[in-house]
Amino acid sequence: MSAPTALEPYPYDRLGDLRGTADRHAGGCVDLSIGDPCDPPPPAAVEALGGSGAERSYPSSIGTPAFRAAAAGWLERRFGVEVASGGVMACVGTKELVASLPRLLQLRGHRGDTVLYPAVAYPTYAMGARLAGLRAVPVPLEGRGRLDLGSVDPADVERSLCLWVNSPANPTGAVDDLGAIAAWGRERGVLVCSDECYVEFVWERTRPAGAGPPLEGRTMLSTGLEGVLALHSLSKRSNLAGLRAGFYTGDTDLVDFLAQARRHLGFMVPGPVQAAAAVALDDDDHVEAQRQRYRDRLALLSRLLEGLGLRAPLPEGAFYLWVPAPDGDAWALAERLAVTAGMLVSPGEFYGGAGADHVRVSATVTDERLALLADRLAAAGTPDGPR
């Protein structure tokens, strides 16, 4: 019998000592280390959760017609992409699909033993490969944080099972060229898997009213369905992380296979959750309000950190600041912020060795907690918050 695979500690479990340091401040730790939504979800979705009557029966693994239609409608309304509701399938959030997809691709008979993923990225892309007994090969990023596909070893391309892309990206906030990535994958026969959980949060100017969908071109689906799989979640968009509601769509044959395989595995989004998710997907107003909250918080955090002599540029997308550490020591910077302001941030090595010289700062805390942070920094002789 072979020795069991040793798994490294879950990244955020390593922050215990720094959390203790931050907690010693009056008012406790201001936790900016994880992207855990803190704002209210749309009330109509919460009402639907409790009044659907769907709790009595087993839910459909592929999703209810109402949920799938709402997802398809959202894709068309927000992105100008037409996907038949029959080609949209429910998933339990998206993390479970990210983690399980490499093994399911193996079962389908996809060639290759290698998963390509961004060198600075959400750790589950690599962990999904490891859990399937596959190679996880990081793709370097170029200066703007985009995938440098030209640097991938041709031998790794030949062995590739799939390529992960995340745009806007966690943790860097970079917005990638999805058209170029899709073309690269199709030319080489590599499945492109696009994790689009932050797609509503792109911080450039949107299209004028009446000029088309506001986020046109921001989903991999805009390039066509062949050879791509797109994953979407309501966790960030609608502050419904606790419900675990998401969906996937893309290449028709692959989507159909995954739907069948996942039925055998028993992956089902609870019926009341699907009812709430359908209501949330039909409502864009609460998303616009959330976009403004995150823009304001990112701007405030950027000013506060720059007041400490740090570079904290605003991202192209998502709701994180990716802050270079002085002298490249991210853990030292994380400790300094915990000591100075009771602020907990994530050292960049959590997202791969290539990120070890940065920290990630999340804007997912309430305005009241950010005001407390600004007051602490003002008392320490740093800027006093919004100007």
Side-chain angles (χ1 to χ4, degrees), residues 300-309 370-387:
L300 171 56
L301 283 167
S302 176
R303 291 197 297 268
L304 293 176
L305 291 167
E306 290 184 351
L308 293 171
L370 287 181
L372 173 62
L373 182 62
D375 289 343
R376 289 174 182 171
L377 292 174
T382 58
D384 57 359
R387 294 194 293 272

Side-chain angles (χ1 to χ4, degrees), residues 12 47 77-78 90 145 160 167 171 183 211 223 247 249 254 278 291 300 312 342 352 386:
Y12 301 103
E47 183 178 351
R77 187 175 69 251
R78 296 294 282 172
S160 294
S167 176
T223 72
F247 65 89
T249 188
L254 175 59
R291 283 170 54 82
L300 171 56

Side-chain angles (χ1 to χ4, degrees), residues 128-144:
R130 290 192 59 198
L131 292 173
L134 301 172
R135 300 170 70 232
V137 174
V139 176
L141 305 182
E142 48 87 2
R144 294 181 61 187

Side-chain angles (χ1 to χ4, degrees), residues 283-316:
D283 172 25
D284 297 329
D285 291 343
H286 76 278
V287 182
E288 293 304 319
Q290 191 61 48
R291 283 170 54 82
Q292 190 60 53
R293 291 187 192 104
Y294 282 142
R295 290 184 74 128
D296 291 346
R297 290 169 186 166
L298 286 167
L300 171 56
L301 283 167
S302 176
R303 291 197 297 268
L304 293 176
L305 291 167
E306 290 184 351
L308 293 171
L310 302 169
R311 283 197 306 113
L314 293 172
E316 292 182 282

Side-chain angles (χ1 to χ4, degrees), residues 122-352:
Y122 183 54
T124 307
Y125 305 132
M127 184 56 70
R130 290 192 59 198
L131 292 173
L134 301 172
R135 300 170 70 232
V137 174
V139 176
L141 305 182
E142 48 87 2
R144 294 181 61 187
R146 296 180 173 183
L147 291 173
D148 183 5
L149 293 172
S151 68
V152 181
D153 189 322
D156 289 330
V157 174
E158 184 63 27
R159 298 174 64 175
S160 294
L161 188 68
C162 66
L163 164 70
W164 280 106
V165 59
N166 177 213
S167 176
N170 172 17
T172 66
V175 173
D176 222 316
D177 185 341
L178 300 183
I181 294 171
W184 182 93
R186 289 176 181 135
E187 288 169 4
R188 293 159 179 80
V190 176
L191 173 69
V192 176
C193 302
S194 185
D195 180 358
E196 301 179 357
C197 63
Y198 300 101
V199 72
E200 292 272 18
F201 304 111
V202 179
W203 304 126
E204 63 183 33
R205 187 179 299 277
T206 57
R207 294 163 66 89
L215 295 172
E216 190 171 27
R218 292 307 182 196
T219 170
M220 190 67 70
L221 303 170
S222 297
T223 72
L225 303 185
E226 180 185 357
V228 304
L229 187 73
L231 285 64
H232 287 276
S233 169
L234 279 84
S235 295
K236 315 299 187 184
R237 174 192 185 273
S238 298
N239 299 321
L240 289 171
L243 294 193
R244 313 311 304 137
F247 65 89
Y248 60 97
T249 188
D251 190 283
T252 302
D253 290 342
L254 175 59
V255 168
D256 288 345
F257 169 80
L258 292 175
Q260 291 301 316
R262 291 166 57 79
R263 287 182 71 184
H264 287 289
L265 291 168
F267 286 128
M268 296 180 286
V269 179
V273 169
Q274 294 192 48
V279 170
L281 284 167
D282 282 339
D283 172 25
D284 297 329
D285 291 343
H286 76 278
V287 182
E288 293 304 319
Q290 191 61 48
R291 283 170 54 82
Q292 190 60 53
R293 291 187 192 104
Y294 282 142
R295 290 184 74 128
D296 291 346
R297 290 169 186 166
L298 286 167
L300 171 56
L301 283 167
S302 176
R303 291 197 297 268
L304 293 176
L305 291 167
E306 290 184 351
L308 293 171
L310 302 169
R311 283 197 306 113
L314 293 172
E316 292 182 282
F319 43 67
Y320 307 107
L321 298 179
W322 188 235
V323 181
D327 303 319
D329 190 339
W331 280 97
L333 176 56
E335 182 175 11
R336 172 188 168 193
L337 294 174
V339 170
T340 302
M343 181 191 313
L344 188 67
V345 301
S346 294
E349 71 177 68
F350 289 3
Y351 314 98

Side-chain angles (χ1 to χ4, degrees), residues 23-90:
D23 264 335
R24 287 196 282 272
H25 285 256
C29 171
V30 177
D31 190 348
L32 307 173
S33 68
I34 58 175
D36 194 7
C38 66
D39 297 302
V46 177
E47 183 178 351
L49 183 67
S52 70
E55 62 274 3
R56 298 172 178 82
S57 304
Y58 288 109
S60 169
S61 176
I62 61 175
T64 64
F67 175 52
R68 298 165 78 193
W74 174 72
L75 287 169
E76 183 173 3
R77 187 175 69 251
R78 296 294 282 172
F79 307 98
V81 171
E82 292 188 28
V83 178
S85 61
V88 176
M89 306 294 174

